[in-house]
Every structure is written in C-alpha cells, then in structure tokens.
Amino acid sequence: MLVTTNAYLLLGTNMGDRVALLSRARSEISHEIGTLRRISSIYETDAWGNEEQPSYLNQVVLAATPLQPLQLLEKINGIEKRLGRIRVNKWESRLIDIDILYYANQVIDQATLQVPHPHLANRRFALAPLQEIAPGFIHPVSGKTTTELLNYTSDKLAVRLFNPDTNEQHEL
C-alpha cells in the first residue's frame, strides 16, 4: 500500500490566461504529485509585496502525495517551469507560482524549503482559500487554526471570490 502525506499547495497567477493556467497547474499536480483531495474556489487578490502589478488569481489544493518534501519541491519547480515560470525578481508578475503551505503537520527549516510557509500568517490571499478547505487545520508552529490566522492577520489587501465562468468578483 502506497503511503501518502497531505500537502496544502497555494497556486497563483497574474499573467496570461489565469483561469487556464490554474487548471493546467491542477492537472500537472494531479499527474506529477498526487491525488487532489480538496480544491478551493478561485480568489482574485491584489498583488502582495510589489503592488504595482496586475491582480492575482489564487487557489489552494490539498494533494495526497507519496513524495518527500524536497521531492515535492522539485516536482513543483518542474511544473512551474513547464508552465512558463521564469524566476528573475522577487514578488514579480508570474504565469504560475506554486507554494507549499503545509506538508502534513511537519516543520521543515532548510535552506531551500521552509514549511509551514514562513509568510502564511501575513497573507490573506493564501489564508482565504485555505480557510475554505481547511478551516480547522492547526498551524504546527503557532498552534492557531486557519480561521484564527485569517481573523487576526495584519494583511488588509482585498481578497475577492472569483467566478471563472463569468469573471465576476465578490468582495469577502
């Protein structure tokens, strides 16, 4: 029997056909990483870090993966590259970005990988879709649930529920 670990991944894009890129990323994750157990709605969010760029579409997925954390990161980097991601500057516009938010309840602090994601508590664009599919998940460092993190985040950037069929947004 194949042993799997639950990994929460954040998908983001603010260039090109954003809805299609999220769909392709989910397909690649399903093929390369593991079974998608939960998928959040899509949210449109203002850019974080460098606010002088187009809005992002963000989504969180829960993948059951047989991969170890560094193998997971390697697969994610391959998916990003295949979907056109080119890394030049921090917080730049991108065709696709995939972040590991959680790898089960493990704490990983390595030069190439930090899990839970070190900025999660300060990013409403990650917390809103995560809260939709994992409201009671407990952050292994802070001991707070996703709902608590969202309720107390200092991030005030707008996060809007996005309907990919109509391109309509609804403020949360």
Side-chain angles (χ1 to χ4, degrees):
M1 179 178 201
L2 186 65
V3 176
T4 61
T5 301
N6 285 333
Y8 288 93
L9 308 176
L10 173 68
L11 317 178
T13 174
N14 74 336
M15 296 173 62
D17 185 341
R18 300 177 303 164
V19 172
L21 282 163
L22 289 177
S23 177
R24 287 183 59 204
R26 289 190 311 271
S27 177
E28 292 272 340
I29 289 167
S30 180
H31 183 258
E32 295 281 326
I33 291 173
T35 303
L36 294 180
R37 291 199 168 151
R38 304 223 46 205
I39 301 171
S40 78
S41 300
I42 297 173
Y43 294 79
E44 186 164 46
T45 62
D46 293 341
W48 188 95
N50 175 4
E51 297 173 22
E52 300 301 317
Q53 56 183 305
S55 296
Y56 278 79
L57 291 186
N58 289 290
Q59 185 172 49
V60 170
V61 299
L62 169 60
T65 183
L67 302 173
Q68 293 300 308
L70 291 177
Q71 293 171 313
L72 175 61
L73 179 61
E74 185 178 309
K75 290 286 188 183
I76 286 170
N77 289 339
I79 292 168
E80 288 177 336
K81 187 174 181 179
R82 279 193 304 281
L83 294 181
R85 170 95 189 253
I86 300 170
R87 294 176 188 267
V88 178
N89 297 311
K90 192 172 189 175
W91 298 325
E92 65 188 349
S93 290
R94 57 201 67 177
L95 285 167
I96 194 69
D97 185 33
I98 304 171
D99 290 332
I100 303 170
L101 300 179
Y102 293 120
Y103 183 86
N105 61 352
Q106 291 187 26
V107 177
I108 303 164
D109 190 7
Q110 298 182 8
T112 57
L113 180 62
Q114 292 182 306
V115 177
H117 192 285
H119 301 294
L120 178 59
N122 299 315
R123 292 182 171 175
R124 182 177 294 279
F125 67 85
L127 289 168
L130 181 62
Q131 195 269 341
E132 179 186 329
I133 66 172
F137 190 88
I138 296 173
H139 190 288
V141 176
S142 72
K144 292 184 167 79
T145 66
T146 304
T147 299
E148 290 171 324
L149 291 172
L150 181 58
N151 287 340
Y152 296 107
T153 186
S154 59
D155 180 7
K156 301 302 179 207
L157 289 177
V159 176
R160 300 165 295 275
L161 197 55
F162 183 84
N163 183 333
D165 297 324
T166 63
N167 290 332
E168 292 178 354
Q169 314 158 19
H170 301 285
E171 196 76 34
L172 297 181

